[in-house]
Amino acid sequence: MTALDLSSPVAVVGTGTMGQGIAQVALVAGHPVRLYDAVPGRAREAADAIGARLDRLVEKDRLTAADRDAARARLVAAEHLTDLADCSLVVEAVLERLDVKQGLFRALEDIVVEDCLLATNTSSLSVTAIGGALRNPGRFVGLHFFNPAPLLPLVEVVSGFATDVSSATRAYETARAWGKTPVACADTPGFIVNRIARPFYAEAFAVHEAQGAEPATIDAVLRECGGFKMGAFELTDLIGQDVNESVTHSVWRAFFQDVRFTPSLAQQRLVESGRLGRKSGQGWYDYSDGAERDEPHTAEPAQAPAYVVVEGDLGPASELLALIREAGIQVREDEEDHGTRLVLPSGGQLALADGQTSVEFRDVVYFDLALDYRRATRIALSASQDTSQQTLGEAVGLFQALGKDVSVIGDVPGMIVARTVARIVDLAHDAVAKGVATQEDIDTAMRLGVNYPLGPFEWSRRLGRNWAYALLDDLHLRDPSGRYAPSLALYRHAYASDKREGSTS
């Protein structure tokens, strides 16, 4: 099954921001496009708005004047739903209510031709449930674009329980022909991106709720250490706290209140108070005129240790040893392998976050996972009230000698980046095991849909065979609510890798 022919008319129902964006994508690709909105006059206004955006593309030399004029000629504001009768594809972008969407598609089914592909852009409702109202749900599919649709490349092509393979394939190939990067997924709550991205927000909020660190520090660590483009607090302020919380609640309810997707009480209070982020002038941060910018906690300068003793293999943090040597700090190696840590001159230890807490041990400081320790500009350290100030000072001075800003947070198991990445990796393995999508499509979706620096499986391969499982298992022992319990899929992955590495064949 190939993409729709460019001569085939495409209709978009619903002319809000997303509807206009999808219509523009189809229009620029070369299709005749019909816009329809139930509110009289809205379709005409949307057509004018799209025309203005085409003008701006010409001004920026991204579209020729001739192509703009041809696109405008192909764009029609439909006055009646029956005007869509000969369309080959109808994409819906209306109110996120199941009854509204079902009613629309039941009406469309009586109007469009038999082989017309029907698609929903829903981000939170079940594609199967919407299509269940149709006589022929086989031609119904999810086409989930990301906002702004003309700019963001990802499209999740979602197959409902009754979607025909031919329909999903035609939708996939059409999205690709439109210059998008489609990924195929089954109809699961949140699809790929909104399902696997939940820990990015949830773990940041959890660290804050546990008073481990304030939002500005958590965001700075996620950006400058974890390699994420934005921190969770600033990103949800941009998205809108009400919108982000709504998606979280939707996924949580759809998974029968699975504790792994539990919403944040702190975010709920933010929404209840009307602090919705940038659009309301205040969210986690204050956006009012003259408001001071919240700054992350950054440790005062400290003396670097003269040497460190490395015990065992630092695993994902092994590149630190080269950086320490380059900074002129002596690295001594203990011939006896006692574990995976650095011993400081004080006798205290420095270890990569592993899901345990500093208070459990004598004089241990944890440091967070970094995407790239050489390029990271900030490192988070975690210590307990029992950690000696000398040990903490040496740990701070060590990373400062490597050119890093240092943020000291509370004694939070798994810290910030490490626990976030481990949970994302776990949900990704679980999704593959349950037939949601392939590893390749999940990596693509998370890099393009939410701009992660690495896909979950790319991260998993880089971090090692059982890193995520071991960290989550330790976290689960300290928080037995089930939130951090590793999935069976992650357990199987770690165990199978362990067996392979231990094999002599």
Side-chain angles (χ1 to χ4, degrees), residues 191-245:
F191 309 143
I192 297 174
V193 173
N194 280 329
R195 171 179 177 150
I196 295 174
R198 292 344 300 159
F200 179 74
Y201 313 108
E203 293 313 307
F205 298 162
V207 171
H208 173 56
E209 289 174 348
Q211 300 188 46
E214 71 284 357
T217 297
I218 297 170
D219 278 353
V221 172
L222 286 168
R223 288 192 314 268
E224 300 170 38
C225 182
F228 293 95
K229 296 297 183 184
M230 297 182 74
F233 296 91
E234 58 187 341
L235 180 55
T236 52
D237 268 357
L238 178 63
I239 294 169
Q241 298 301 330
D242 52 340
V243 174
N244 182 260
E245 191 207 25

Side-chain angles (χ1 to χ4, degrees), residues 352-485:
L352 176 62
D354 59 6
Q356 301 182 87
T357 56
S358 180
V359 75
E360 299 171 51
F361 306 97
R362 187 188 68 80
D363 223 13
V364 168
V365 174
Y366 281 105
F367 63 93
D368 210 346
L369 177 71
L371 173 69
D372 183 332
Y373 283 100
R374 182 174 293 277
R375 299 175 67 180
T377 57
R378 182 177 299 271
I379 295 292
L381 301 181
S382 175
S384 76
Q385 58 187 10
D386 297 329
T387 303
S388 77
Q389 288 303 302
Q390 182 181 356
T391 294
L392 181 57
E394 289 175 346
V396 169
L398 174 65
F399 282 103
Q400 288 175 340
L402 306 186
K404 318 297 183 188
D405 288 328
V406 176
S407 293
V408 180
I409 70 171
D411 191 14
V412 178
M415 300 193 67
I416 298 171
V417 179
R419 70 196 288 175
T420 299
V421 170
R423 288 207 59 214
I424 289 170
V425 167
D426 182 44
L427 290 185
H429 277 279
D430 185 53
V432 169
K434 292 177 178 173
V436 174
T438 65
Q439 290 188 13
E440 294 74 20
D441 275 356
I442 287 175
D443 276 353
T444 297
M446 301 313 291
R447 281 189 283 100
L448 298 184
V450 278
N451 211 11
Y452 283 3
L454 292 175
F457 292 97
E458 293 173 314
W459 236 318
S460 184
R461 288 188 290 272
R462 175 184 287 201
L463 293 171
R465 57 184 178 80
N466 65 350
W467 178 86
Y469 175 81
L471 187 143
L472 290 176
D473 195 39
D474 277 335
L475 266 171
H476 178 54
L477 289 174
R478 287 150 186 82
D479 179 0
S481 64
R483 178 187 181 104
Y484 300 104

Side-chain angles (χ1 to χ4, degrees), residues 13-152:
V13 179
T15 57
T17 301
M18 184 58 78
Q20 290 182 33
I22 296 170
Q24 181 179 330
V25 170
L27 189 65
V28 171
H31 288 273
V33 173
R34 311 232 175 109
L35 284 172
Y36 174 79
D37 198 290
V39 179
R42 286 266 181 90
R44 183 69 263 164
E45 293 173 2
D48 291 341
I50 292 171
R53 284 198 291 275
L54 295 178
D55 288 340
R56 289 195 291 273
L57 290 177
V58 173
E59 293 170 3
K60 296 177 181 179
D61 292 326
R62 296 178 182 173
L63 190 70
T64 66
D67 286 342
R68 174 200 58 195
D69 294 342
R72 278 181 165 172
R74 294 194 302 271
L75 181 60
V76 174
E79 294 184 5
H80 307 285
L81 203 60
T82 51
D83 294 338
L84 314 183
D86 63 340
C87 289
S88 297
L89 167 64
V90 180
V91 183
E92 162 274 316
V94 302
L95 189 66
E96 283 287 274
R97 274 180 44 186
L98 181 61
D99 59 334
V100 172
K101 293 179 187 291
Q102 287 179 329
L104 169 64
F105 283 111
R106 277 197 296 263
L108 282 168
E109 197 170 32
D110 292 332
I111 294 171
V112 298
V113 294
E114 194 65 31
D115 63 348
C116 175
L117 191 64
L118 300 177
T120 175
N121 183 60
T122 185
S123 62
S124 60
L125 299 176
S126 164
V127 172
T128 300
I130 300 171
L134 301 178
R135 294 189 303 274
N136 177 18
R139 62 170 167 172
F140 186 73
V141 66
L143 273 178
H144 181 217
F145 289 77
F146 287 74
N147 194 28
L151 297 180
L152 295 185

